[in-house]
Amino acid sequence: MTGEVQNGPRALTVGRSDGRIWGMSSAERLSRIYRRLGLIETPAVDLSHAVVAVDAGWVFDESLIKALADREGAVLVDDAGRAVAVHAPADLAYAATEALNGGTDPSGLDPRLTRLTALELGSAYNSALRKREPPVLERLTPETVRAVEKRLFQGSYKGVTDFVTKYVWPAPARVVTRWCALAKMTPNQVTFIGFVMVLAATWLFWQGHFGWGLVCAWIMTFLDTVDGKLARVTLTSSKWGNVFDHGIDLVHPPFWWWAWFVGVYAVGQEIPYAALSLAIVVGGYVAQRVEEGIFLALFKLEMHAWRPFDSFFRLITARRNPNLILLTACALVGRPDLGFTLVAIWTAVCFVVHAIQILQGLVAPKGSIQSWLAK
């Protein structure tokens, strides 16, 4: 969140909608966006400042309001060509706001005002979520609430992630995210429940109670999807929440694998080349994250967003969820020892693949390393 821009444009919401999304009215959602962008919201036009006037009858991607605030003279229009927002200079602020509120296109007031579509004003590529998708701009009515919520939820999802997160969790996560929003739960509360599941899974794995440990582990991975989506759709993300969530995500997997290793011996099984396997699984996880950091530092791009293959490989690379699939399958047939061995082998393979990706980047022509999703 940025600080308020005292000399910047003032934000003003016009119009209304009877629909509520994620427990908020459109006007409440816009107020959250203004605060996150550091815009000062006013109840009426301030003739000494430019104005960003937005019609609450539509639902806007936060990125669109940000782009509008940065582009004086822009008139945002929807797919049908209707003006839904405007950034007017101070001398046109009142007339442009009145025109927007009355359903008239403000661009006809002055040549300085230019009509732009969502794609012309914003961008289809979201680097933070590593995906290519048009920014959200949807009409909100009581009849379109579910469709708009679905669209916002879809827009909150990362485009490049693991197989389970991308293909298994979306449908149930949207339902649970809505429940959490209506119950006024915060993303940090969901993250804390996930953290409790992390501790429970670690203890259960250590004791050799793999079945219950896996139940806790999968609940945690599901809640890890819910908390991020809840933060994005309700516009309640924070620096602390981001650190809390990503800190847990980054740190806990090696402890789970170590606990699983101990648990295998607790149930009377053994792991071939035990010390080497443990070093590969735990050290390999850390090494792969280092490899990703090296790629990002060298090329200013996430490794998995470079080429189609890199995005595909992120679906199955030896991170938490793909490893849990291997461990779950082997635990179901009574072979947690084999599960650990398979994770060790897959971790070693993925480490080599990531090393090759870095080498390919180093020999690629200068300036050619760009995300295929942005093209």
Side-chain angles (χ1 to χ4, degrees):
M1 182 184 297
T2 61
E4 290 185 344
V5 182
Q6 298 296 329
N7 295 321
R10 298 299 187 248
L12 177 64
T13 299
V14 301
R16 62 185 299 273
S17 172
D18 295 327
R20 296 181 66 85
I21 49 172
W22 304 109
M24 298 175 288
S25 68
S26 180
E28 289 171 334
R29 186 173 185 276
L30 284 168
S31 291
R32 291 189 183 185
I33 292 176
Y34 301 151
R35 289 195 296 271
R36 287 165 59 86
L37 298 179
L39 294 172
I40 299 174
E41 185 175 8
T42 59
V45 174
D46 181 347
L47 297 179
S48 63
H49 289 84
V51 67
V52 172
V54 186
D55 192 331
W58 277 257
V59 174
F60 300 79
D61 198 299
E62 182 179 359
S63 66
L64 282 179
I65 304 301
K66 183 179 186 302
L68 185 67
D70 292 336
R71 187 159 179 174
E72 185 174 297
V75 176
L76 176 61
V77 299
D78 67 4
D79 291 340
R82 173 165 176 169
V84 296
V86 61
H87 182 170
D91 61 317
L92 293 176
Y94 181 79
T97 301
E98 286 296 298
L100 185 69
N101 194 31
T104 304
D105 191 341
S107 63
L109 297 172
D110 192 281
R112 288 174 290 171
L113 300 180
T114 304
R115 290 164 53 90
L116 297 170
T117 66
L119 279 177
E120 290 170 334
L121 179 65
S123 172
Y125 178 57
N126 187 321
S127 60
L129 296 181
R130 300 192 295 272
K131 66 191 299 182
R132 185 174 184 83
E133 186 175 6
V136 176
L137 177 57
E138 300 284 348
R139 185 77 165 96
L140 181 63
T141 67
E143 294 72 30
T144 63
V145 166
R146 291 293 180 271
V148 173
E149 285 187 341
K150 183 177 181 180
R151 177 72 176 82
L152 285 171
F153 186 83
Q154 178 184 344
S156 74
Y157 234 88
K158 288 184 178 179
V160 179
T161 185
D162 66 84
F163 178 86
V164 175
T165 302
K166 190 175 181 70
Y167 296 113
V168 179
W169 289 153
R174 181 160 62 91
V175 174
V176 174
T177 298
R178 189 168 193 277
W179 289 347
C180 292
L182 294 177
K184 304 299 182 183
M185 287 187 68
T186 68
N188 287 346
Q189 289 172 333
V190 177
T191 302
F192 180 77
I193 297 173
F195 177 62
V196 173
M197 292 296 102
V198 166
L199 298 179
T202 303
W203 185 84
L204 289 164
F205 289 158
W206 192 280
Q207 301 298 317
H209 302 310
F210 298 111
W212 285 112
L214 285 166
V215 169
C216 292
W218 282 116
I219 290 174
M220 184 274 167
T221 69
F222 177 71
L223 293 179
D224 187 39
T225 290
V226 171
D227 61 7
K229 308 307 170 290
L230 180 63
R232 294 187 189 112
V233 299
T234 61
L235 301 163
T236 52
S237 59
S238 65
K239 289 183 179 179
W240 158 243
N242 190 56
V243 170
F244 186 31
D245 181 29
H246 288 88
I248 293 173
D249 292 348
L250 184 65
V251 171
H252 81 267
F255 290 95
W256 276 4
W257 314 148
W258 179 27
W260 189 283
F261 177 87
V262 173
V264 167
Y265 285 88
V267 298
Q269 296 183 351
E270 296 185 356
I271 297 172
Y273 307 103
L276 177 61
S277 296
L278 181 61
I280 290 174
V281 171
V282 176
Y285 169 80
V286 175
Q288 286 181 89
R289 301 310 293 258
V290 170
E291 287 178 315
E292 292 174 9
I294 290 173
F295 193 97
L296 180 61
L298 288 174
F299 309 115
K300 312 305 178 190
L301 178 70
E302 294 280 352
M303 173 185 286
H304 304 293
W306 180 17
R307 302 162 301 185
F309 168 80
D310 306 311
S311 296
F312 163 77
F313 198 70
R314 176 63 180 87
L315 292 170
I316 57 175
T317 195
R319 291 273 199 96
R320 180 189 62 205
N321 288 358
N323 285 353
L324 279 177
I325 292 175
L326 294 175
L327 295 176
T328 300
C330 290
L332 288 174
V333 297
R335 293 297 304 275
D337 58 326
L338 177 60
F340 193 88
T341 297
L342 291 177
V343 169
I345 293 171
W346 185 234
T347 299
V349 169
C350 292
F351 173 82
V352 173
V353 171
H354 292 332
I356 292 173
Q357 289 170 306
I358 293 173
L359 292 175
Q360 289 174 329
L362 290 172
V363 300
K366 187 175 181 180
S368 66
I369 300 183
Q370 300 176 2
S371 175
W372 69 281
L373 296 166
K375 298 177 182 178

